[in-house]
Every structure is written in C-alpha cells, then in structure tokens.
Amino acid sequence: MRTLLAVAALVPAALTLLPGCPLGCGGWEGRGDTMFRSEGGEAVMLCANGGFAATLSTGNVEGVFEWSDEITASSPETGARVFSMKTDVNGATSSPELGAGWTQATLDQVELDHAHVQCADLETRAWWGTTGTLAGLPKATAWKKPAAGFATADACFEAQARGEYPEAALCEDELLACPDGRMKLSEGQTFDTGTYSTHFGTLYLRPSFSFAFDGVFSSDGSLAARPAGDTSSTAQMWRQVPVAEMSNGATCL
C-alpha cells in the first residue's frame, strides 16, 4: 500500500506482463506480479504469491485471489468476495464491484521491484497462510431474507395479523454458516441443517432436506443466492445480521 499509489502514477496504460511471464522473466523481484489500474486512478496489484493489494477510492484492501477465466478476490478475514474482474472479447476489463475501465499495466524492472513490496508485506499479515485451512468461513456468519411469498418481513407480519399466515412461522428465512462447514437454515416453520463450502466468496450450501443453493457473499454483507448450478435466474438477496439474531436457538456451538 505505501508504494502502490506512487507506482501507479508511473505506469503507462498498456497490456503486458501476465502472471507467469509469457514475455520472458528476468531475475528481479515481482516478475510474476501484475498490476491493473482504473481510469479513475485506482490500482490493484495481483501478486505471484496469491495475494492482492488494492488501492481504491474507498480505501486500501488486501486479500487473496484466483485467476482462471476471471479474477475472483476475497478477504481472508471475512471470506467475502471483494471483487471479480473479467476481460471481454474486445479486451475491455471490468468488475461488477469496481466498475469498468480497468487496464493491465506495463511495469519495468524497477517499477516491479517497488510494487513487489506490497506483495511481500502481505506475507506478514496474521491471516497469511490460514486461507484454505478452514472448512468454511473464518467466523460464524448469519443472514436473513423475507419469507417466501412476501416482499418484506412487515408484509408477512401483516398477513399473520389477518390470519393469512401461520402465527408460529418465521417471517424471515434465516441462514447460519459456521466455521467448521456446518450450516443451519430456518424457513417458515421448518428447520434444516447441512454443510457448505466456500471458494473466494462463493458459498455452496447443501441443506439436508431443502434444495441446494449457491450464493456470492459480498463485502457489503449481502448474499446473492440461486439454486445450485443456476447462473441465470434472479438471485434471492439475503442481508447479513448479527448471529445473536438467529431464531430457534441456532448457534455454532
């Protein structure tokens, strides 16, 4: 972070130097690191060690990433997706979280040496090396959404008052994800348990009796969930809440 802004100011907007050095590696530090920058002056350094350091308009962010057909980056402290990036057939790189107008930067040997300081710093963080060692998210995380058939929880409460919805039923579905990979799901008058796994902000949730679903856990706390394997339907939006707000005695203990 302490050198990223200075380095970004020196970088011309061109496309070279992919991870793995397809144009040839030298013997200097940072030869496998890659920097992206935005039209607004933001910068993301993707490090060869698997970590990232981003200087954004909202502040500095660090974490880990995977680069396959797209880049997906997450926070080891929460497990949430920080950003994803993808380059289209026309060579334009954009991010749902960070916006469009990103380009891959050309860094020479000296610039790479300086920029690499951030990558080395990541290895001093308390969370470094813990990524991938947990079955699930690093801490218990809970979400709620309006019960099926209702736009809001208040609409459900009103239906209960009119006798149109069971009084004992929950007006908000509840989901609890535990660090050991267990999950607990309350829907209406049903309570289910199961397991889940996580991969750079994507949660794969598998209740024992309910339908399986997948969700993207974003850094704003939301969980955008769809039926397992479905990438086209409209996502159901869950909002993050304190674990203490779970009903039915749901805890991770």
Side-chain angles (χ1 to χ4, degrees), residues 7 17 21 26 28-35 45 105-119:
V7 172
L17 201 63
C21 311
W28 59 86
E29 291 290 340
R31 59 188 178 275
D33 304 332
T34 304
M35 179 184 284
M45 174 61 78
T106 304
L107 303 183
D108 63 23
Q109 177 178 340
V110 174
E111 292 166 335
L112 279 169
D113 281 339
H114 285 279
H116 183 68
V117 171
Q118 293 134 113
C119 297

Side-chain angles (χ1 to χ4, degrees), residues 39-214:
E39 295 172 346
E42 297 175 305
V44 172
M45 174 61 78
L46 302 177
C47 305
N49 61 15
F52 76 85
T55 301
L56 308 174
S57 60
T58 54
N60 298 331
V61 188
E62 299 175 338
V64 293
F65 76 97
E66 178 183 65
W67 195 340
S68 52
D69 59 332
E70 67 177 340
I71 299 163
T72 50
S74 62
S75 165
E77 295 181 330
T78 64
R81 173 80 53 82
V82 178
F83 67 86
S84 60
M85 280 185 174
K86 192 167 187 177
T87 302
D88 64 24
V89 294
N90 298 315
T93 301
S94 61
S95 165
E97 300 83 4
L98 306 181
W102 289 83
T103 56
Q104 204 173 113
T106 304
L107 303 183
D108 63 23
Q109 177 178 340
V110 174
E111 292 166 335
L112 279 169
D113 281 339
H114 285 279
H116 183 68
V117 171
Q118 293 134 113
C119 297
D121 281 352
L122 294 176
E123 299 182 20
T124 69
R125 304 294 183 256
W127 48 259
W128 188 260
T130 63
T131 304
T133 62
L134 298 174
L137 297 174
K139 59 184 178 181
T141 310
W143 298 269
K144 290 186 178 184
K145 71 173 183 63
F150 297 98
T152 65
D154 286 341
C156 174
F157 295 139
E158 292 169 2
Q160 284 180 324
R162 295 191 300 268
E164 299 171 356
Y165 192 68
E167 184 177 349
L170 294 177
C171 276
E172 289 186 295
D173 296 337
E174 300 181 350
L175 172 63
L176 176 63
C178 301
D180 60 4
R182 292 177 297 142
M183 62 164 287
K184 299 183 179 182
L185 178 66
S186 294
E187 297 178 295
Q189 298 184 85
T190 66
F191 180 72
D192 200 356
T193 60
T195 61
Y196 78 99
S197 59
T198 180
H199 187 76
F200 294 97
T202 299
L203 274 59
Y204 304 94
L205 300 127
R206 302 296 181 263
S208 297
F209 306 108
S210 305
F211 292 109
F213 59 104
D214 304 331

Side-chain angles (χ1 to χ4, degrees), residues 215-228:
V216 175
F217 174 28
S218 297
S219 55
D220 64 3
S222 64
L223 180 70
R226 295 181 175 87

